[in-house]
Amino acid sequence: MSAPAISFHNLTLGYDRHPAVHHITGEVAQGALLAVVGSNGAGKSTLLKAIVGELKPLSGRLDLHGNGKHDIAYLPQVVDIDRGFPISVFDCVAMGLWHETGASGGLDPSCDARVAEALETVSLTGLAARPVGALSGGQFQRVLFARLLLQDAKIILLDEPFRAVDARTIADLIRLIGQWQGEGRTVIAVLHDIELVRRYFPETLLLARDVLAWGETPSVLTPVNLDRSRRFDEAFDDHAAVCHTDEARETA
Amino acid sequence: MIHAVLDPFVEFAFMRRALVGCLAISMTAPPIGVFLMLRRMSLMGDAMGHAILPGAAIGYLLAGLSLFAMSLGGFAAGLAVALAAGLVARSRVIREDASLAGFYLISLALGVFLVSVHGTNVDLLHVLFGSVLALNDAALLLVASIATVSLVTLAVIYRPLVLECFDPYYLRSVSHWSSPTHLIFLVLVVLNLVAGFQALGTLMAVGIMLLPAVGARFWADNAGGMIAVAIVAALLSSFAGLLISYHYNVPTGPTVILACGAFYLFSMLAGRRGGALWGLMPAKHLEA
């Protein structure tokens, strides 16, 4: 097994002291293609937010093995994008080159060519000059993928990337994800479509606040595990007692 | 005709000063207004205009009708309110509009309180509505400096600012520019309101910032184009406003803003991007 890209050391994440991800320990290898599966409120998005640094751990440790801001590309589930903003598809995708251009660097012709290439990869070449507000939901999702493509990151986090996307586009995007893995990038995707996970993702993490199973997809997505996942109770208990797992582990 | 347009400026120094002051403001305030609008903070300009009041009033009470003292006070008060509101909003418990409303109302009440306790309502009107026809060298220099500083700063933070408006999460995920950009932008808003309040008064300053910007949305569909349209509209409105106020002997500040307002109404009707009149003349749809 190759070197780890991300390691969780007994990591607990949550909001207002209530854990959303509870005592997760494990490693994501470099070049892994990992699907994160679980019911609503199981902590999938929370885990990705912690990796990008949006959320500080309640306890435990997250090790990115030297990967910084520029090495992680993140496609959030709820995109807080102002679709009415007057900006062209081309300019929006070109923002993916931020790590090269910074705040004031210019776009030279080779950058233009790469933006055009990224647009071609997601079959949006003809729409480059249109304002983003004129795109459909699926087309816009492809714009975000094109931008992700240009970020050229070692670790790519996708939170439910296939919302509002038709079957043909999903096939295109899956091919893209496969290509990323082929290039040695680490891809972690939160997904709901179990069939999709079985077909394309070699490794799966099944979450229900605690880790239910983590490993090769066929051994994780068993009927027994999926049944346990479905019975997960997402509500926080307002009167929950303080968790003593860590102390117990230390004294043991 | 040519005499009616040029003579006032040839004959009277105060008209030339007013023109220079208004042109300087027209170069710098509208781009700020474009970004305020794109950030859906159009009404923030108005709120900030009020927030400047106590500072300007304190300056006025301490130093009389000294533009420098009033500007400095206004800048300090506006900056305090903008930064406090911005920082509270960054904590994400309440949104920026709510936190700004809280701070600017306190500030406005304090301003009215100060002016009422120590002065008369005539003074208050003077602070609120400015005196474009009484700009001295120092005031012109201040307005021109502010215009220069804000245009250069805007050029430096242009890309992060566009991204901060369009997709703030992305900006935060790729760089550390998000918070600095936001705070620098707030400083620019305050600076420009202070510059405008020299010439047009606190309330009118907001007009020249926002009306050309809002109208420009009907003509351009990218931020750069909108900024160009807004600046040209503000320049022409300033010129027209000064001339009309001279020839018909009406108050200058409001006339300039009304000229901007006329541009906005015209854009709403005739603008190429969604103007109402174009909707009345539907063109046949295309094949693909």
Side-chain angles (χ1 to χ4, degrees), chain A residues 118-194:
Chain A
L119 282 168
E120 199 185 327
T121 312
V122 297
S123 339
L124 280 178
T125 305
L127 296 176
R130 302 289 299 277
V132 291
L135 300 184
S136 75
Q139 284 169 338
F140 189 67
Q141 195 70 2
R142 272 146 62 193
V143 167
L144 295 182
F145 262 87
R147 187 172 72 180
L148 217 54
L149 205 63
L150 287 179
Q151 278 184 262
D152 195 24
K154 284 192 245 168
I155 299 173
I156 299 172
L157 310 172
L158 308 167
D159 200 343
E160 295 192 30
F162 304 133
R163 273 164 301 125
V165 174
D166 62 17
R168 196 184 80 183
T169 310
I170 291 183
D172 287 348
L173 297 181
I174 288 273
R175 197 167 344 113
L176 200 56
I177 292 175
Q179 203 176 313
W180 282 336
Q181 195 211 7
E183 292 162 359
R185 301 178 206 274
T186 311
V187 182
I188 304 180
V190 169
L191 292 168
H192 276 297
D193 186 338
I194 298 292

Side-chain angles (χ1 to χ4, degrees), chain B residues 25-117:
Chain B
I25 292 167
S26 301
M27 297 286 288
T28 163
I32 303 286
V34 165
F35 280 106
L36 273 178
M37 188 190 91
L38 291 176
R39 301 208 60 176
R40 304 184 182 193
M41 286 161 65
S42 302
L43 291 176
M44 182 204 164
D46 195 35
M48 290 309 303
H50 290 94
I52 285 176
L53 188 62
I58 291 173
Y60 173 68
L61 294 171
L62 289 180
L65 209 56
S66 147
L67 281 172
F68 182 72
M70 286 165 69
S71 303
L72 200 65
F75 178 68
L79 201 62
V81 169
L83 292 185
L87 290 174
V88 170
R90 289 266 133 176
S91 74
R92 301 205 213 160
V93 178
I94 53 175
R95 290 197 180 247
E96 180 137 40
D97 61 332
S99 82
L100 186 69
F103 283 108
Y104 105 76
L105 286 168
I106 295 172
S107 191
L108 176 62
L110 189 64
V112 174
F113 178 85
L114 284 172
V115 175
S116 309
V117 167

Side-chain angles (χ1 to χ4, degrees), chain A residues 66-140:
Chain A
N67 290 309
K69 249 182 170 31
H70 290 322
D71 301 312
I72 302 177
Y74 172 47
L75 182 64
Q77 177 185 18
V78 181
V79 218
D80 186 18
I81 292 182
D82 178 6
R83 296 272 301 274
F85 194 92
I87 188 171
S88 70
V89 168
F90 185 94
D91 287 347
C92 175
V93 172
M95 300 279 193
L97 292 169
W98 179 282
H99 60 285
E100 289 168 40
T101 62
S104 51
L107 288 176
D108 57 37
S110 77
C111 295
D112 287 357
R114 281 159 62 202
V115 174
E117 194 184 302
L119 282 168
E120 199 185 327
T121 312
V122 297
S123 339
L124 280 178
T125 305
L127 296 176
R130 302 289 299 277
V132 291
L135 300 184
S136 75
Q139 284 169 338
F140 189 67

